[in-house]
Amino acid sequence: MSNTELQGLIQRAVGVLAQLEAWLPPAPPAIDWSAHAYRWQRRGARGWLDAVHRIAPIQLDDLQHVEQQKSTLERNTLAFLQGKPANNVLMTGARGTGKSSLVRALLGTYASQGLRLIEIDKSDLGDLDQIIDLIVDRPERYIVFCDDLSFEEGEAGYKALKSALDGSVAAPGDNLLIYATSNRRHLMPEYMHENLQAQHQPDGEIHPGETVEEKISLSERFGLWLSFYPFAQTDYLDIVNHWLAFHGCRPEDIQASRPEALQWALSRGSRSGRVARQFARDWAARHL
């Protein structure tokens, strides 16, 4: 092969490599370990921790009428920060009752003591091993948080989460816990035809009871279950009053808002903390 031909082959190879490089996703950015919160981001086959520096402000005292749940979650988180045994937590129940807000409030309270938060979407739960590898040698204590967790048949993140919670031969490290919220206690759908008395299944399943046990077992791998319930009318009005006072409303104005607050809840079909806060914003904006 002549020198000219060799140079031509090299140039063609360089061109091919340049084209391949253009198709590849960029290298993940360096992790900013000074942040208190992160989102797990994915592009192609690569994932990274994206620092979040502006965190929605909320305090533990802002969350009312969930005292038992708040106390249990705070106790578990403090044990985790102190290097004591602590459990992964599943929070289930009525929407808008403060499940995800509790986790954010804990971060705001205990970030100065080394608490950190990593938000992950359920579709990325298969990357838990990568997250564990990134933080295993860090001195901070990390809560991996998945909001509105539930699975449909065949979703890949289901088995990855089961292994991370309890069942993998690899230990996740003592600086990581998993907190999750869900509107349903059993994270996989169950069907009438799967009940234990079924004698025959159209798909040929001989032991339908074992299928049900498999679906329930994911929830059971969370050491703590915290249930949240719809608020009574008086509780809802207490929360409205708290947020109106937060926005600077006078006591007499807060008292005058009561009929509108009840009508607002009726129109929304819910007396939740979220609905109460939304009403307080709207009412304060109109009357202050």
Side-chain angles (χ1 to χ4, degrees), residues 153 184 186-194 212 215-216:
E153 295 285 356
R184 64 189 190 195
H186 293 157
L187 303 177
M188 290 282 287
E190 298 174 47
Y191 305 100
M192 285 295 294
H193 67 72
E194 293 175 336
V212 175
K215 293 181 175 182
I216 296 175

Side-chain angles (χ1 to χ4, degrees), residues 113-151:
Q113 299 183 32
L115 186 65
R116 300 293 183 265
L117 185 69
I118 299 173
E119 283 191 349
I120 185 171
D121 190 83
K122 70 172 185 176
S123 61
D124 294 326
L125 286 171
D127 298 335
L128 278 172
D129 285 344
Q130 294 183 48
I131 296 174
I132 292 169
D133 289 342
L134 286 172
I135 67 171
V136 68
D137 294 323
R138 297 291 307 173
E140 301 88 359
R141 317 290 283 182
Y142 291 86
I143 290 174
V144 174
F145 176 56
C146 187
D147 196 19
D148 198 19
L149 180 65
S150 63
F151 295 100

Side-chain angles (χ1 to χ4, degrees), residues 26-27 29 46 83 85-86 134 139 189 227 253 260-261:
R46 294 175 176 172
L134 286 172
S227 297
D253 295 329
E260 285 190 55

Side-chain angles (χ1 to χ4, degrees), residues 42-260:
R42 163 169 286 282
R43 184 177 299 152
R46 294 175 176 172
W48 67 93
L49 292 173
D50 187 27
V52 177
H53 290 285
R54 298 184 63 183
I55 301 168
I58 191 165
Q59 304 300 319
L60 287 171
D61 290 342
D62 292 330
L63 300 166
Q64 302 187 0
H65 298 290
V66 287
E67 299 307 322
Q68 184 272 327
Q69 299 92 328
K70 180 167 44 175
S71 174
T72 302
L73 191 64
E74 188 173 16
R75 172 178 53 80
N76 188 70
T77 304
L78 276 171
F80 175 54
L81 286 171
Q82 295 164 3
K84 298 177 181 179
N87 278 304
N88 300 302
V89 182
L90 176 62
M91 292 171 278
T92 64
R95 65 188 187 275
T97 48
K99 298 185 292 294
S100 58
S101 294
L102 262 179
V103 178
R104 297 200 311 272
L106 284 170
L107 177 65
T109 303
Y110 295 109
S112 61
Q113 299 183 32
L115 186 65
R116 300 293 183 265
L117 185 69
I118 299 173
E119 283 191 349
I120 185 171
D121 190 83
K122 70 172 185 176
S123 61
D124 294 326
L125 286 171
D127 298 335
L128 278 172
D129 285 344
Q130 294 183 48
I131 296 174
I132 292 169
D133 289 342
L134 286 172
I135 67 171
V136 68
D137 294 323
R138 297 291 307 173
E140 301 88 359
R141 317 290 283 182
Y142 291 86
I143 290 174
V144 174
F145 176 56
C146 187
D147 196 19
D148 198 19
L149 180 65
S150 63
F151 295 100
E152 301 301 328
E153 295 285 356
E155 288 196 67
Y158 169 73
K159 293 189 179 296
L161 180 57
K162 280 186 66 176
S163 294
L165 288 169
D166 183 17
S168 173
V169 69
D174 64 355
N175 69 336
L176 180 145
L177 282 182
I178 297 173
Y179 285 7
T181 71
S182 179
N183 290 331
R184 64 189 190 195
R185 184 172 176 182
H186 293 157
L187 303 177
M188 290 282 287
E190 298 174 47
Y191 305 100
M192 285 295 294
H193 67 72
E194 293 175 336
N195 70 75
L196 295 174
Q197 301 304 317
Q199 301 297 317
H200 173 72
Q201 297 295 312
D203 60 2
E205 173 68 63
I206 299 175
H207 304 291
E210 294 181 2
T211 301
V212 175
E213 288 297 319
E214 161 72 10
K215 293 181 175 182
I216 296 175
S217 69
L218 176 60
S219 299
E220 290 185 342
R221 295 195 181 202
F222 287 91
L224 280 179
W225 288 359
L226 298 178
S227 297
F228 291 71
Y229 305 99
F231 293 125
Q233 178 172 296
T234 54
D235 297 340
Y236 165 75
L237 290 172
D238 281 346
I239 299 170
V240 167
N241 295 348
H242 169 81
W243 287 114
L244 286 173
F246 174 84
H247 289 301
C249 296
R250 298 173 301 174
E252 56 270 28
D253 295 329
I254 293 174
Q255 183 64 29
S257 74
R258 178 187 173 100
E260 285 190 55

